[in-house]
Amino acid sequence: MRHKGILIVVSGFSGAGKGTLMKKLLETYDNYALSVSMTTRSPREGESDGVEYFFSTKEVFEKEIESGGLIEYARYCDHYYGTPKAYVEEQLLLGKDVILEIEIQGALKIKNRFPEALLLFVTPPSIAELERRLTSRGTETKEVIKKRLLRAAEEAQGIDAYDFLVINDDLERCVQEIHEIVTASRNAPFRNTEFMNHIKEELEALSKGEN
C-alpha cells in the first residue's frame, strides 16, 4: 500500500543554511521532493528560473493569488514569496515527502490549513555565526544585512509554533537528523488513519466473533 507523503515545512533565519541543507538532503535520500516557490525578488547570481524559484512580476504573482493557485504566500523584505499548489498535491499523492522552504508567515498559514504538516525551524548555533554567514555571502549591502537580522528577531518570536528545531552547525549531521525526524514522524498515528482504521475494524470483527 502506497502511503501519501508528508508535507514538510522548513523555515529559518536568512543565512541559516536552509538551501544548502535541503540540497544535500535531496542528494542523499530519494523520497523527498522540493517544492519550487514563486517569488518577485530578482535572481541571485547562479540562480535559474524554475530551479531555485519561479521568478515572477508583482502583477503575475497577484493574479496567482486571486485565482487560488497558491497554497500560501507571504511578503518578506518587500517581495512576495508563495507556494504553487498543483505540484505539491501531485507529489504527495505519489508518496513523496514534499519540502516547502518558506518564511515563517507562510509556515504558520500552512499549519492552519494543513494541521498534519511537519514544521522544522533551522537556526545557526549563534547569532554571531548568523551575521558571519550573511556577510560572507557577499551579495547584500550592510543595510540589507541589518534588515535581515532585525527580521530574524521578529521571526524568533514564532519558533514555538514549530514541531522541531534543527541547529545547523554540521551539514552531514543535520541532514541525517532531519531525515530521522521525518522517518519517525511518518509513523505518527494521525498520519496512518487508513491503517489504524483497518486494525480497529479487524479487532472489532474479532471481538464480535468471540461473542
Side-chain angles (χ1 to χ4, degrees):
M1 181 178 67
R2 175 189 288 167
H3 292 278
K4 185 179 179 181
I6 296 176
L7 186 60
I8 306 165
V9 177
V10 178
S11 303
F13 305 130
S14 178
K18 303 182 297 295
T20 302
L21 272 176
M22 295 307 100
K23 181 179 179 182
K24 185 66 175 177
L25 185 70
L26 267 69
E27 289 174 354
T28 307
Y29 304 101
D30 61 5
N31 59 295
Y32 297 100
L34 183 64
S35 175
V36 180
S37 296
M38 179 181 288
T39 183
T40 57
R41 78 158 170 78
S42 300
R44 293 179 183 142
E45 185 176 351
E47 291 183 333
S48 303
D49 185 55
V51 180
E52 287 79 14
Y53 287 96
F54 293 114
F55 294 100
S56 166
T57 63
K58 182 172 178 282
E59 291 73 24
V60 169
F61 195 103
E62 290 177 344
K63 285 182 180 178
E64 286 294 321
I65 294 173
E66 292 172 8
S67 67
L70 301 172
I71 289 179
E72 58 76 36
Y73 69 93
R75 195 170 176 85
Y76 174 74
C77 290
D78 302 323
H79 294 294
Y80 279 122
Y81 293 81
T83 302
K85 181 165 59 177
Y87 175 82
V88 171
E89 293 177 341
E90 175 186 316
Q91 294 300 310
L92 287 174
L93 288 174
L94 290 173
K96 291 284 188 178
D97 297 321
V98 180
I99 300 168
L100 308 185
E101 187 187 325
I102 56 179
E103 306 301 333
I104 192 167
Q105 289 173 288
L108 298 181
K109 290 178 182 177
I110 289 288
K111 192 66 173 177
N112 286 333
R113 290 187 61 186
F114 305 94
E116 73 280 6
L118 175 65
L119 270 60
L120 309 178
F121 194 91
V122 179
T123 177
S126 69
I127 296 305
E129 174 63 13
L130 177 63
E131 187 171 8
R132 187 196 68 76
R133 291 180 188 181
L134 286 170
T135 303
S136 65
R137 290 199 302 205
T139 58
E140 291 152 344
T141 65
K142 288 183 178 180
E143 287 185 1
V144 172
I145 290 173
K146 183 178 179 181
K147 183 183 289 188
R148 293 194 182 279
L149 289 171
L150 290 173
R151 175 61 176 164
E154 296 174 1
E155 290 175 327
Q157 304 306 312
I159 294 177
D160 289 347
Y162 285 73
D163 298 305
F164 291 92
L165 184 67
V166 179
I167 300 174
N168 184 17
D169 53 356
D170 178 272
L171 179 61
E172 299 289 342
R173 185 190 62 77
C174 284
V175 166
Q176 182 179 353
E177 182 179 328
I178 290 172
H179 182 65
E180 289 173 354
I181 289 171
V182 174
T183 300
S185 298
R186 194 179 293 120
N187 292 326
F190 73 90
R191 291 194 177 96
N192 294 274
T193 52
E194 185 177 343
F195 174 77
M196 293 298 296
N197 288 337
H198 179 66
I199 291 294
K200 290 174 183 177
E201 288 170 2
E202 287 191 331
L203 287 170
E204 185 177 349
L206 181 64
S207 176
K208 290 179 179 178
E210 288 178 348
N211 292 334

